[in-house]
Amino acid sequence: MSLTHTGSGRFDVWAPNVSAVTLLANGQHYPMAKLDTAPGADGWWSAPDAPTEGEVDYGYLLDGDSHPLPDPRSRRLPDGVHALSRTFSPGDHDWQDASWQGKDLRGSVIYELHVGTFTPEGTLEAAAGRLGYLADLGIDFVELLPVNGFNGTHNWGYDGVQWYAVHEGYGGPAAYQRFVDAAHAAGLGVIQDVVYNHLGPSGNYLSRFGPYLKQGDANTWGDSVNLDGHGSDVVREYILDNAALWLRDYHVDGLRLDAVHALRDERAVHILEDLGALGDAVSAETGLPKTLIAESDLNNPRLIYPRDANGYGLAGQWSDDFHHAVHVNVSGETTGYYEDFQSLAVLAKVLKDGFLHDGSYSSFRGRHHGRPINASLVQPAALVVCNQNHDQIGNRATGDRLSQSLSYGQLAVAAVLTMTSPFTPMLFMGEEFGASTPWQFFTSHPEPELGKATAEGRIREFERMGWDPAVVPDPQDPETFRRSKLNWAEAAVGDHARLLELYRSLAALRREHQELAGLGFAETTVEFDDDAGWLRFRRGSVEVLLNLSEQKVSLDRVDGTVLLSTEEVPAADNGALALGPWSAAVVKAQ
């Protein structure tokens, strides 16, 4: 869909909700005039006498208001989301990635990181200094949590209100381009997490300009984005242009689409289908793969079916069921949404079918949920899986990681399950060395009343879940942010270093034995014994053996070479292999 308005001037703005607009540019006032536009795109304003060159600080005065508002399409906000925009030309960057060939999702490993807590400095420049480490680890894609403009100094990124800007505290858009260049030089693709389902609570001026939101139609975070109501043609173009900004102007290799279940769209062509088509179009233009991945707990494989099979044509979607099955079977935690996942039978089903709930009853939801995946339409690699991620850690009361309560053996088994699964594994920063630092929910809202409401709401949320409110950290306390930063020194010592070497070995094994990621759903066979606590699954000639219990187990019919083990294992004796408590081995058949 393209509704590009007539003129496309440097400071053109869509503001159908107002009767007069004045551009404030470098301290000068420029009255704006309405443009003649195509049907469905009315409400555009232009300033024909505005500056045509040079860096400009600017904003918009709506209906005679004396306070200028930033551009909804701001590329830079050097003084924050309440202040003037600044022009930025992405074409000025001298790209160094002409030899970059891109990466496919299939066979890849993703590493999810938050720029502000990945390094002590919390900047894109500092993160770029760690790219060699990630390449050595065996990572293929770096997935950045949202970097767009938000109010305050630090935030998870999901309170963004300026989708076209890069947070200045991270270095701004020029630093972002340098980061992508550096990633490509290191052999790493970049996936950018984008949020199109809601806006943050501070600095959101979009409704002053036009019907970007549907008043009274709320999702979990507030008013829904207007995807199908009056004026929604331009709102959808706003989203698609933003996706194209990352994929084209910033050379990003893919997008992670946040919480797509909150995209309320009743049109015959869903916005996700439009996004899938856009990704394919940019891929065709550039000759490079462009990967779009949906975060979804709907267990609806239509997201990843081809568009000619009535799907949305996305490259991937998350499988929360995999995370839950692994979490329960290594931790023993069975409360809340983990209740349905407390058996190896569940883990076996997820390994084979991708979902547990594919039409079955979900006790957490109190209804039947999901639908089966049509294995003739997609490969297992289209499911992105993990044993930890920012949500599953950060949305716990204290932001505790698995490494803060589990043994090395339990962490190793979780690592083997994730990295040898038929799906696309994703790691959360620090997971690979069993980081002891938590990853907690943090905000820095400058408005005292908003900060107070956020902290109190967090406590109420966990009281309902049975957590002691006294242990819930204050998201507004700067220490909550500081303690969530990785401690890189521990990666080189003890079991931290041991786990890191295991992850490196697993990534190398995945590359060397492409059967793990290269076969279809039907090529996975699984056996298990819930009482004894073992599970084994095979992909082609590679078999993964796991002991998820405190007791030693002996598995028969093991014939081949041990490629990897989390503990020393004796040679197979008459086709039997002994596994110690909480251990795993990967075997290549003769």
Side-chain angles (χ1 to χ4, degrees):
M1 179 183 68
S2 179
L3 293 171
T4 303
H5 60 280
T6 304
S8 298
R10 192 182 189 196
F11 299 103
D12 288 4
V13 66
W14 186 60
N17 282 3
V18 301
S19 58
V21 185
T22 298
L23 171 69
L24 176 66
N26 284 345
Q28 300 295 314
H29 289 76
Y30 299 89
M32 303 188 77
K34 272 192 173 182
L35 290 168
D36 291 329
T37 58
D42 59 303
W44 282 95
W45 300 76
S46 186
D49 299 324
T52 57
E53 297 179 350
E55 190 173 77
V56 178
D57 287 347
Y58 69 102
Y60 300 98
L61 304 171
L62 306 182
D63 284 335
D65 193 347
S66 61
H67 179 73
L69 300 181
D71 187 353
R73 293 176 178 244
S74 297
R75 295 296 184 92
R76 278 199 70 191
L77 290 157
D79 299 313
V81 298
H82 294 288
L84 292 176
S85 305
R86 179 172 293 171
T87 55
F88 175 80
S89 176
D92 291 344
H93 181 71
D94 183 17
W95 287 98
Q96 303 296 307
D97 64 350
S99 62
W100 173 245
Q101 298 298 307
K103 284 184 179 286
D104 289 313
L105 187 63
R106 192 170 181 178
S108 291
V109 179
I110 301 171
Y111 188 95
E112 186 187 37
L113 70 85
H114 176 265
V115 173
T117 53
F118 183 58
T119 65
E121 301 86 351
T123 64
L124 286 158
E125 181 180 11
R130 294 278 178 181
L131 292 172
Y133 160 85
L134 295 179
D136 179 64
L137 177 59
I139 299 302
D140 296 286
F141 286 104
V142 179
E143 181 176 308
L144 301 180
L145 267 66
V147 299
N148 53 288
F150 57 82
N151 198 22
T153 58
H154 53 269
N155 193 287
W156 274 20
Y158 299 92
D159 283 333
V161 291
Q162 282 281 351
W163 293 351
Y164 284 70
V166 175
H167 178 57
E168 285 291 313
Y170 295 158
Y176 189 91
Q177 290 177 308
R178 293 192 296 271
F179 176 87
V180 175
D181 243 345
H184 289 170
L188 300 167
V190 178
I191 296 172
Q192 181 57 57
D193 192 342
V194 291
V195 184
Y196 296 141
N197 56 68
H198 74 282
L199 292 112
S202 180
N204 171 20
Y205 297 108
L206 292 183
S207 292
R208 292 281 304 278
F209 289 87
Y212 284 90
L213 303 177
K214 296 174 73 173
Q215 304 296 328
D217 181 12
N219 59 33
T220 305
W221 303 281
D223 288 333
S224 297
V225 176
N226 177 21
L227 298 173
D228 54 9
H230 183 82
S232 60
D233 283 353
V234 181
V235 178
R236 292 167 77 97
E237 187 175 54
Y238 180 72
I239 292 172
L240 294 169
D241 286 352
N242 181 258
L245 166 77
W246 299 110
L247 297 173
R248 287 193 182 108
D249 294 352
Y250 292 150
H251 289 208
V252 161
D253 301 281
L255 302 175
R256 180 263 191 188
L257 307 172
D258 179 68
V260 300
H261 56 271
L263 295 169
R264 301 195 173 177
D265 186 4
E266 296 297 327
R267 290 203 190 193
V269 179
H270 196 280
I271 187 66
L272 291 174
E273 187 174 346
D274 278 340
L275 284 163
L278 172 70
D280 289 347
V282 178
S283 180
E285 293 168 17
T286 60
L288 300 172
K290 299 294 181 180
T291 300
L292 271 64
I293 301 168
E295 182 212 1
S296 172
D297 69 352
L298 299 176
N299 288 13
N300 183 1
R302 184 181 179 188
L303 297 172
I304 50 178
Y305 289 165
R307 288 188 297 282
D308 60 10
N310 201 31
Y312 294 157
L314 303 180
Q317 71 174 101
W318 283 21
S319 170
D320 282 355
D321 285 9
F322 179 92
H323 168 271
H324 300 347
V326 173
H327 182 95
V328 169
N329 279 287
V330 299
S331 73
E333 184 176 357
T334 57
T335 57
Y337 51 66
Y338 292 131
E339 183 178 348
D340 292 345
F341 294 83
Q342 49 185 312
S343 73
L344 288 178
V346 169
L347 180 57
K349 176 172 172 47
V350 172
L351 285 167
K352 277 189 61 65
D353 300 335
F355 300 142
L356 166 64
H357 292 304
D358 51 11
S360 61
Y361 183 80
S362 164
S363 63
F364 178 71
R365 296 173 179 85
R367 60 170 174 80
H368 286 73
H369 182 66
R371 70 184 303 168
I373 295 172
N374 184 337
S376 69
L377 295 177
V378 294
Q379 295 291 315
L383 297 182
V384 174
V385 301
C386 64
N387 62 66
Q388 299 178 75
N389 64 43
H390 76 275
D391 269 332
Q392 298 297 343
I393 299 171
N395 284 329
R396 297 173 66 82
T398 60
D400 53 310
R401 298 169 178 262
L402 289 177
S403 49
Q404 293 174 263
S405 58
L406 302 187
S407 67
Y408 167 81
Q410 290 166 301
L411 296 174
V413 166
V416 172
L417 273 167
T418 305
M419 294 291 287
T420 64
S421 78
F423 316 115
T424 296
M426 182 181 75
L427 316 183
F428 181 65
M429 61 178 198
E431 169 193 330
E432 73 278 8
F433 60 82
S436 64
T437 51
W439 204 71
Q440 298 176 330
F441 179 69
F442 47 80
T443 55
S444 59
H445 299 306
E447 304 91 340
E449 67 282 0
L450 180 55
K452 182 173 183 289
T454 300
E456 291 175 349
R458 192 77 174 166
I459 289 174
R460 286 194 300 271
E461 177 183 347
F462 287 112
E463 278 183 324
R464 287 195 300 267
M465 297 172 63
W467 290 83
D468 179 0
V471 307
V472 180
D474 180 357
Q476 285 285 108
D477 183 351
E479 187 58 31
T480 303
F481 170 63
R482 285 192 288 269
R483 76 169 66 96
S484 297
K485 288 178 177 276
L486 290 177
N487 174 11
W488 283 97
E490 65 186 8
V493 299
D495 279 346
H496 297 291
R498 186 181 175 197
L499 190 63
L500 177 58
E501 186 54 38
L502 174 62
Y503 269 96
R504 283 199 186 104
S505 298
L506 285 165
L509 186 76
R510 191 173 181 84
R511 287 193 303 273
E512 292 163 12
H513 298 276
Q514 296 183 13
E515 295 158 290
L516 290 170
L519 300 177
F521 281 96
E523 282 73 45
T524 301
T525 60
V526 188
E527 298 177 63
F528 63 93
D529 186 325
D530 251 321
D531 294 331
W534 61 259
L535 179 144
R536 61 199 293 177
F537 66 94
R538 180 184 289 271
R539 299 276 289 165
S541 63
V542 178
E543 187 171 28
V544 181
L545 313 172
L546 302 117
N547 180 6
L548 296 92
S549 77
E550 300 288 349
Q551 309 300 321
K552 180 179 178 180
V553 299
S554 180
L555 301 180
D556 59 10
R557 295 176 287 108
V558 178
D559 180 23
T561 303
V562 175
L563 301 174
L564 176 146
S565 61
T566 61
E567 304 280 357
E568 284 194 29
V569 297
D573 182 17
N574 293 322
L577 187 72
L579 289 178
W582 292 107
S583 66
V586 182
V587 176
K588 174 78 169 179
Q590 298 286 14

